[in-house]
Amino acid sequence: MLDLRKPLNWCHASITCRHVDLAFCLSLLTSMHDLRENPNHVRYDAWCGVAHGCTRKLGMKICGFLQKNNNLEEKISSFKERSSKDLLDNSDRDSRFRRTETDFSNLFARDLLPAKNGEEPTMQFLLEVVDILTNYVRKTFDRSTKVLDFHHPHQLLEGMEGFNLELSDQPESLEQILVDCRDTLKYGVRTGHPRFFNQLSTGLDIIGLAGEWLTSTANTNMFTYEIAPVFVLMEQLTLKKMREIIGWPDGEGDGIFSPGGAISNMYSVMTARYKFFPDVKTKGMTAAHRLVLFTSEHSHYSIKKASAALGFGTENLILLSTDERGRVIPADLEAKVIDAKARGCVPMFVNATAGSTVYGAFDPIHEIADIWLICDTFSWRAKGAWGGGLLMSRKHRHKLSGVERANSVTWNPHKMMGVPLQCSAILVRERGVLSGCNSMCAGYLFQPDKQYDVSYDTGDKAIQCGRHVDIFKFWLMWKAKGTIGFEHHIDKCLDLSHYLYTKIRDREGYQMVFEGEPQHTNVCFWYLPPGIRDMPDGQERRDRLHKVAPKIKALMMESGTTMVGYQPQGDKVNFFRMVISNPAATRSDIDFLTDEIERLGHDL
Amino acid sequence: MLDLRKPLNWCHASITCRHVDLAFCLSLLTSMHDLRENPNHVRYDAWCGVAHGCTRKLGMKICGFLQKNNNLEEKISSFKERSSKDLLDNSDRDSRFRRTETDFSNLFARDLLPAKNGEEPTMQFLLEVVDILTNYVRKTFDRSTKVLDFHHPHQLLEGMEGFNLELSDQPESLEQILVDCRDTLKYGVRTGHPRFFNQLSTGLDIIGLAGEWLTSTANTNMFTYEIAPVFVLMEQLTLKKMREIIGWPDGEGDGIFSPGGAISNMYSVMTARYKFFPDVKTKGMTAAHRLVLFTSEHSHYSIKKASAALGFGTENLILLSTDERGRVIPADLEAKVIDAKARGCVPMFVNATAGSTVYGAFDPIHEIADIWLICDTFSWRAKGAWGGGLLMSRKHRHKLSGVERANSVTWNPHKMMGVPLQCSAILVRERGVLSGCNSMCAGYLFQPDKQYDVSYDTGDKAIQCGRHVDIFKFWLMWKAKGTIGFEHHIDKCLDLSHYLYTKIRDREGYQMVFEGEPQHTNVCFWYLPPGIRDMPDGQERRDRLHKVAPKIKALMMESGTTMVGYQPQGDKVNFFRMVISNPAATRSDIDFLTDEIERLGHDL
């Protein structure tokens, strides 16, 4: 490896040292080295505690120094190497390093670009930040590091080892800013860690990360081609590709990237309403009486939020019953549509969930579409925020069979496809509805007399004005992996969940929440500590079982070893919902998870 | 400067060379060096054209190489330095570099972490990306570079010098991905360039950039304390600080960061509706008949979008007349409220714009609040998306006098405060309204039986589920600049706009759109080419003048020298709207802008 780290870090070590007690700091470094080679390995945290015994400012600096040098082996070997060779043999090179040392304690934000002579400190500062970030990336994938270092809110608010969240009138030095960056990561959660299974969005994709870094550097806005020409075209091409994969002829239609699945779902309801009741845009909901919407009782709560926000009212969102596996029962939809019409309501919208949040269930899309057509009602759509990724897999895309019949589809690449958050698309089959619905023709932004083809401006079809560039990371990942790369990732995650399912299905102490192979990577189960296993079924057993998952989860977080979600569902007491979207996870991590659940839960 | 670039770049040069014709590449490098020292300086682009004459793959590689070595002086001196000294004197060091050379043409995304042995290529790849980004940052602040290199959509879609936007089934090599990253930046717009004045959000803040890089690396979600402990607390503290600055007692109240001002404005209307008509949440808009909203005819179109989306209807948004300076006329509000009530409508909401998009006008907040109270109507609020930043300035905050009387305030740090996009806050005076309005109690996410104080979970007060971390960059900038740093930035921008205003106010060929000193940094003016100046007032003159700004803007973009916005407003033909939020801009850039307008517009 081209180890730029080595001279860089040593240089920074000496920078820090200069401002505290140099001798003390160096002796500390030596001691740490000794300790490392000593079998009685004392942790960095302990040393940081000692350092913290110094005055606040001094202690903070030493802590910062220690954190920087936490990856001891590397740093020490760098130190030794440079001491024994470079510092002696190559005084010319070294003097160049020494000459260019950056003392961040005397530098402030105002010294960076665009300040005069700001280029050097800017580059030094950014490289130092990158050093912090690449170390974090390295550790994220290292199973010997914790997933998190849990603290309660009041602990963090009180200030951890000099990590002070309060804002003040006066600026802090760049040295303090770098310490703050390290602390922010230190007390956060490593969502890319191979043993982080807590959410639908997990993992840290390196290409996606690079894409986000570039996006931030470009710092522009998706609303016009004028200031985001490349990104606007990438969005257009990517959306077309997604529509092709959905199965709409020639990828025709429209769409936009929105700040998450909930907003995409809101778009979906809005476009349906505009398509069938365009007067609502101008006259409000009084122009269309008694519209009702349908969705699964297992569907994501964002449909309910959209009903409230858009003026339908949550009572006009009719929840559909599901089978034991969490899939909408078509007959129930039919009955409820007929009933609603009999009550004088107008069924406007049905949502088919493709991959429900808890069970990972796929509603039977064809049956829903058939009923919807027969009932002579209006728009319907599929929400594949979580399950949409399966469209990329030849093996699993059949679970969304019929999705091409939907009027609109939500598809979140930031979930199953591992794209960094936020990246969610709403795709609409009919061209013109999205812009018809949202267009307000703001003349100061979307001038018709620009020199380029203004149909490329996207702002007037969004409910947003400024819109973050969410496309680039996704486009770059697609380039770098190819469609087959996403397919491979998805197949692998489903294989892993199959592994977990077959492992615990018949294992003592486990009980599945629903029978049969899960459709998505969601594996829902109870862990029963030995003390509960033989209890007779009844309220007491249920009450005890209800407390098991939260207790194990709390212990997990406190030990920082892994994270997995839990929740109750309907009349089912708290159970674990394991989901796998993390590309770093392997069978050994699944084994680790079950071992950990058993270790922490055994005596409950 | 600690020049890590030097060995790194040379190393990469040799990497690229290995895979094309080494001899050709080296001779090209030498030729470029010669050319640089030759007064007849031939541009990089020309060489790239030559290189592109090779086969596509070879040409692409040479182009990539050329781009990387575009900053010739530095690269060549690095080459010379290494050739003459390191390569000869320090063969040991050099062999270390050579040993660790990374050949990206044979590496793919699948070789990066979490792949086995993925750490080295991951670090190399990320450092290479950082090299691209830091070069971009450097050039962004360099006035000798263009603001943009304009191409029409069809040109970019056809593929520029091997830059192919299409996605395919098979993966591309990391070498190609790096070329794509360079090309994406090359064909984009430098929104941080000192001469980019096109939007309300401009500039590239280095601390904010570092904050975004860290945010992407942490890749988490604001919905729970569980997975974003530090960020959730930062958000809470920063919102409180903002409420204190607004002037709410003890900073009490609530708030949330949303994906932009339009969504923040939507929150504002929603919370007002929930506060006075809570039944709308469950029963829909039928539970509250004939609600009307008021806003300035100059206000941002997002208020109109919110009226449409939330089910009020745009016809129930009543536009208020403004004075010549674009400020709402209080008497007009009073008359329209009385009229609406007489028609049986229920005035629910009035929006006071603090810094309108085009004129930068501040509505008279106290007068609006007084009328609103007297008329016994409901919620009212201030939209300071653009003007909110002025609250940080002791000199200018009087323009928002009365803002503390609002029920909610939109404040976009990503505009006047220079925070990278997206960063927008909605602040609500009364605690509980925001969560009351949006809460759906999703049990699988916001479990009440977690081990920590779940009042820190923010998800249930958002209309989003997943929510991007927008707080960190802002928090870090505040730490690094202090409140006084933001104040200084804002005062400086207003000073610059004052400079522009006084410069062109009486200058031949300029005409101001409204009389008097602008309230914000918006300076609105027509440039009149000599051929128009003496024309008699009338339709023909108006028609010609209407075409001047678009034409100058098109020429500006084609020459890539600067960018400024234009638009018509009401019966006023196209005029320039200059806004200054860019911390890199100086008086010389203002002078450059007017010179450029005159140069490009003189003969129109």
Side-chain angles (χ1 to χ4, degrees), chain B residues 321-387:
Chain B
S321 302
T322 55
D323 64 17
E324 205 261 342
R325 303 280 305 264
R327 296 169 299 203
V328 156
I329 300 167
D332 190 60
L333 169 64
E334 188 167 4
K336 282 175 177 161
V337 166
I338 292 167
D339 176 64
K341 291 174 98 172
R343 287 186 289 115
C345 295
V346 179
M348 189 204 82
F349 180 93
V350 62
N351 172 61
T353 301
S356 65
T357 312
V358 179
Y359 283 19
F362 289 78
D363 287 340
I365 304 187
H366 272 304
E367 280 119 306
I368 290 174
D370 289 343
I371 290 165
W372 203 245
L373 285 173
I374 290 162
C375 292
D376 188 28
T377 47
F378 297 99
S379 187
W380 82 277
R381 52 93 56 178
K383 185 187 80 62
W386 170 226

Side-chain angles (χ1 to χ4, degrees), chain B residues 517-535:
Chain B
E517 176 93 22
Q519 292 184 283
H520 207 316
T521 70
N522 308 50
V523 180
C524 296
F525 62 90
W526 288 283
Y527 171 71
L528 295 89
I532 293 184
R533 286 176 208 170
D534 298 327
M535 282 177 72

Side-chain angles (χ1 to χ4, degrees), chain A residues 517-538:
Chain A
E517 176 93 21
Q519 290 184 283
H520 206 318
T521 68
N522 308 48
V523 180
C524 296
F525 62 91
W526 288 282
Y527 170 72
L528 296 90
I532 293 182
R533 285 176 208 169
D534 299 327
M535 282 177 72
D537 209 7

Side-chain angles (χ1 to χ4, degrees), chain A residues 5-45:
Chain A
R5 233 62 328 168
K6 289 176 184 177
L8 182 65
N9 274 317
W10 170 243
C11 155
H12 291 149
S14 63
I15 292 160
T16 314
C17 288
R18 184 140 44 86
H19 300 282
V20 293
D21 178 343
L22 181 64
F24 171 70
C25 223
L26 284 175
S27 76
L28 198 60
L29 184 69
T30 317
S31 310
M32 286 165 79
H33 182 209
D34 292 347
L35 278 166
R36 186 67 173 194
E37 297 194 335
N38 188 313
N40 299 317
H41 172 204
V42 178
R43 284 173 63 231
Y44 146 76
D45 292 359

